[in-house]
Amino acid sequence: AQSVTQLDSQVPVFEEAPVELRCNYSSSVSVYLFWYVQYPNQGLQLLLKYLSGSTLVESINGFEAEFNKSQTSFHLRKPSVHISDTAEYFCAVSEGSGGSNYKLTFGKGTLLTVNP
Amino acid sequence: DAGVTQSPTHLIKTRGQQVTLRCSPISGHKSVSWYQQVLGQGPQFIFQYYEKEERGRGNFPDRFSARQFPNYSSELNVNALLLGDSALYLCASSLNRRSYEQYFGPGTRLTVT
């Protein structure tokens, strides 16, 4: 069975500082990896995804994540955060074989708080 | 284009009652999934429907059921509500059953008292 571990439940940082949100996964087959962001009282927004190809993927708002198969990790990074990045971030995995790509397994989330 | 829509936004029910939540997927998307997000946790998969058939089910009791209509909208039903059913219920749509990307709606906040 697949599982996702987000190592930090809360990450406080100052504005314009770099940040890394950690995610490790466990799966017996090839995986597809996602980061979702949830702002207060809202649903989930897809931030970025790794399906295949380049192991470094980027979002339009400056976040990036790197798929590391040997370390089974998919950490999210941003070199300089803004107040507006304050939100809950969820790492998710979808297994990619046997037709079982129908569900996402999520981590417990990391609350990123950007302080002025 | 409209995203995934869900109704109602908020709902308060009493233990033992039944509830129906509704979801309309993104236009052109044929697959709908339901997730439960308890406060402080990540979403947990409940169901996926594609072409009106159940394609996957998570570890939830039989009190939870769902269906998908010919227009690809979906309903989630929960019977005999328990306090522990209080959560944000999220609907996600994807293009088809082999699509890995899921797009989420704003959710329905269910409170059971």
Side-chain angles (χ1 to χ4, degrees):
Chain A
Q2 54 194 0
S3 65
V4 177
T5 302
Q6 291 185 243
L7 297 164
D8 305 295
S9 60
Q10 297 186 51
V11 174
V13 294
F14 288 108
E15 194 173 17
E16 297 183 6
V19 71
E20 178 180 79
L21 307 184
R22 296 179 292 171
C23 172
N24 287 90
Y25 68 92
S26 172
S27 177
S28 58
V29 296
S30 60
V31 296
Y32 301 90
L33 295 157
F34 305 85
W35 277 99
Y36 283 86
V37 58
Q38 186 175 37
Y39 298 100
N41 300 313
Q42 294 188 24
L44 301 174
Q45 297 177 27
L46 180 62
L47 186 61
L48 46 74
K49 63 193 178 197
Y50 170 77
L51 301 180
S52 64
S54 173
T55 57
L56 183 65
V57 291
E58 300 177 350
S59 72
I60 59 173
N61 57 353
F63 283 94
E64 65 179 30
E66 186 162 18
F67 170 56
N68 188 319
K69 187 175 182 179
S70 63
Q71 297 187 5
T72 60
S73 68
F74 191 54
H75 301 333
L76 181 70
R77 303 182 182 94
K78 190 171 186 180
S80 176
V81 294
H82 303 287
I83 298 285
S84 59
D85 292 324
T86 295
E88 186 99 33
Y89 291 80
F90 291 95
C91 182
V93 62
S94 174
E95 288 192 348
S97 69
S100 63
N101 59 321
Y102 52 80
K103 77 170 188 178
L104 293 170
T105 300
F106 286 87
K108 292 186 176 181
T110 298
L111 178 61
L112 173 64
T113 303
V114 182
N115 299 301
Chain B
D1 285 344
V4 178
T5 59
Q6 293 186 243
S7 62
T9 305
H10 296 88
L11 205 52
I12 299 175
K13 290 286 189 178
T14 304
R15 275 179 301 176
Q17 287 187 316
Q18 175 264 342
V19 68
T20 298
L21 311 180
R22 296 176 177 82
C23 170
S24 292
I26 293 171
S27 178
H29 284 197
K30 298 182 178 181
S31 180
V32 170
S33 300
W34 288 94
Y35 292 80
Q36 180 196 64
Q37 186 180 18
V38 174
L39 197 62
Q41 300 291 321
Q44 282 199 298
F45 173 76
I46 309 175
F47 288 112
Q48 190 199 53
Y49 274 78
Y50 175 69
E51 293 286 7
K52 296 173 287 181
E53 290 189 14
E54 182 183 304
R55 301 291 180 171
R57 184 185 184 111
N59 188 24
F60 280 81
D62 291 343
R63 298 185 297 108
F64 288 77
S65 63
R67 56 180 175 168
Q68 187 177 31
F69 299 98
N71 66 353
Y72 304 110
S73 67
S74 177
E75 287 183 350
L76 175 70
N77 295 285
V78 187
N79 293 321
L81 285 167
L82 303 174
L83 295 179
D85 295 331
S86 295
L88 181 67
Y89 288 84
L90 295 163
C91 174
S93 78
S94 53
L95 190 60
N96 54 53
R97 66 175 301 201
R98 301 202 68 79
S99 299
Y100 297 102
E101 301 167 4
Q102 297 187 24
Y103 298 89
F104 285 80
T108 293
R109 174 73 62 187
L110 172 65
T111 302
V112 182
T113 62

